Structure formats: structure tokens, C-alpha cells
Amino acid sequence: MNDFVGKIQELKKKRNAVILVHNYQLPEVQDIADFTGDSLGLSIEASKTKADVIVFCGVYFMAETAKILSPQKTVLIPEPSAGCPLADMISAQQVRDLRVQHPDAKIICYVNTSADVKAECDYCCTSANAVEMLQNAFSDQDKIIFLPDKHLGSYAAHKTGRNVIIWQGYCPSHARILPEHIVALKKEHPAARVMAHPECNAAVLKLADAVLSTSGMLRYARESQAQEFIVATEVGMIYPLKIENPGKRFYEATSLASCPNMKKTTLAKVATSLENMVHEVLLPQDTINRAKRSIGNMIRFRKDAQLTQKEHEETKSLS
Ligand code: 13P
């Protein structure tokens, strides 16, 4: 493994590359990152990096987002088959059909969508800012379509009271987290705080003390006085939580919540990617231009609203 680390460091210099890594990636891949984060943090980092090459260790839609934000840069994904079943639950044609059915609606897509889908939408959001986007970018008079994640869409609609038509997609890894898992763990660890990702179903979210993006979980665990946490999201999240908080204890909601696509990227593949400059993410210029509007509306909106990353912690009002 060390051989690969040395080789990656060498190649990174040679290529003037930056390595962006999502919080769910394998521990050894997180360890070689220049930047780890959630979808929002990685998007922002991709938009401002000075590197010539971005190596994106995550799933395909994330690498596409980096390309949209930095089209002049070479964006590499070490494992191009790392997809996202949630993103695959809606196509660009289905968004066009929605426009025909609801010509007066504004469409907001979760970042877990293909570039083609983003190109058809008005706004983009991530798990870190979906509530703020619905709250601040729309009014009560707006008819809003949220896609493709039904749980995030319902959660954000519930928190804001907005009038939202919700596409019925979901993340299969988060769908394996059940309320029974949380109830059993709470019995075992009564002092533990429950952090849940908004891709979890509503019954799980009702049991949560905080509903957070992956980077939001890191912040919450760091700042909380609690010593124990039940973590309702993809299992890869346990690693950065433990690294940042060596004195605290973290319990995965269920070992079943593992995303096979997030585990496909290895150090060997990162090294090969930098050595051979593969696999490059390429998108038609027109798709980039159109998708950039929806992502730009999210990033610009955050700046305009001077939003912090602080999220909607207490979820007791869900019940
Ligand atoms: P975050 O943006 O919270 O890291 O979530 C990304 C994701 O794909 C969750 O399944």
C-alpha cells in the first residue's frame, strides 16, 4: 500500500494534480486526499482549485460536477464504473416530460443526478443545503419539483412548508437503514446521540437528534459534548468520524448500509489514473453550460445569502 502512496505523491506533483475524496471512500483513499468532504464541500473545492488536474475519488456524478465547475481542467475518475443508483433513477427525458406536465413549476435537483439531468433543471442542491435552498430560493407561491430523492425532498418540504412535487427515487444503501436498527442501538447505548443523513427514510429521521450531510456529521460530532454517536448513513463515514474524534465512540446503524460503488476506488487505481491520465470525464460543452446554471444557482445563492454550513439540527418537529 505504501508503494502506491509514494507513487501517487510523486505523480501528483508531476501532473500538478489535486485529489478530492468523498467521506464514504475507503480509509486508505481518504488518507491520501488533499481535500475530503461532502458533495457541497467537494463542489466548492473543485470550483476554486488552482491545480491542472482533479482526481475525483467518489462516484461518477461527483466527478461530472467537478468537470462542470472546472471545464478547463482535466478531471479524472480512477474507477469510471462507480455509479450512483439514486442518480440513475431519473433521466433527462423524464425531466423534460415533467416540464411538459408542469410548465409553471421550478425544478430543483439533488446533486446526485447526471450532468444531463442537471442541464434540464433550474437549481441544484446537496444534502447540506436542501432546506436552505427551498426556504430562501423559493416562495410559498412557487410550484416546485424536487428530484430524484424522495426522502431528502420530503424532509426539506416538511421543514419549509413549501409546495413540492417529489420524484420517488431513493438511495438503496440508505434504504437498508431501518428504525429498528436505531431503536436497538439506542437501547444498548442510551447516552448516544443519533445523527442521520436525510437520504434515510422518515421513520429513521424521526429518531434522529440531528439530520446532517456527511460533513455536517463531522462538525456535529466535533462540537457536541456527547461521547457516543449512532451514525445513520453509509458505513464509510465511521472512519473520518473516528479519526477526528479519537476519544469518542461511533456506532454504524447497520453494516448493511455499504455503498458498493464508493468502495470501488483503490490506491492502485488512483496511481494508474495519474500515471496514464485515465479515466477522463468529458462532457459536451452545451451540457456543461446548461448544467452550470443549476449548480451556479446553488453556489451563488449560498454566497448571496451568506449562508453558513450550519444545518437544521433538531428534528423533533418531524414527529
Ligand atoms: P453528502 O453530500 O452528505 O456527502 O452525501 C452524498 C451522498 O451521495 C450521500 O449518499
Side-chain angles (χ1 to χ4, degrees), residues 105-109 122-126 129-146 156 160 162-164 293-307:
K106 294 179 178 170
I107 305 185
I108 178 164
C109 62
D122 304 306
Y123 295 87
C124 185
C125 71
T126 74
N129 63 15
V131 172
E132 285 84 353
M133 286 296 289
L134 283 198
Q135 187 64 53
N136 299 337
F138 303 98
S139 75
D140 277 344
Q141 281 66 53
D142 285 327
K143 181 173 171 185
I144 305 163
I145 298 175
F146 187 99
T160 59
R162 294 283 186 242
N163 171 22
V164 189
R293 262 187 303 130
S294 62
I295 301 173
N297 279 342
M298 168 178 81
I299 291 177
R300 205 174 13 259
F301 163 84
R302 285 188 79 255
K303 280 187 194 142
D304 290 351
Q306 292 187 320
L307 291 175

Side-chain angles (χ1 to χ4, degrees), residues 259-281:
C259 170
N261 289 292
M262 282 285 181
K263 310 307 176 210
K264 284 181 176 172
T265 306
T266 61
L267 289 183
K269 289 177 191 174
V270 175
T272 304
S273 175
L274 274 167
E275 187 158 54
N276 301 333
M277 294 297 278
V278 290
H279 301 272
E280 187 171 358
V281 176

Side-chain angles (χ1 to χ4, degrees), residues 96-113:
R96 287 192 288 272
D97 292 346
L98 283 170
R99 284 255 188 237
V100 173
Q101 283 164 35
H102 307 279
D104 51 341
K106 294 179 178 170
I107 305 185
I108 178 164
C109 62
Y110 188 26
V111 71
N112 296 42
T113 41

Side-chain angles (χ1 to χ4, degrees), residues 1-5 8 26-32 78 264-273:
M1 202 193 293
N2 273 340
D3 287 358
F4 287 124
V5 174
I8 289 166
L26 292 170
E28 60 271 26
V29 177
Q30 296 198 31
D31 287 347
I32 51 131
K264 284 181 176 172
T265 306
T266 61
L267 289 183
K269 289 177 191 174
V270 175
T272 304
S273 175

Side-chain angles (χ1 to χ4, degrees), residues 22 24 38-40 61-62 110 112 127 174 197 199 213-214:
H22 187 264
Y24 294 157
D38 62 5
S39 305
L40 180 61
F61 77 81
M62 296 178 177
Y110 188 26
N112 296 42
S127 62
H174 283 87
H197 195 278
E199 286 180 27
S213 75
T214 58

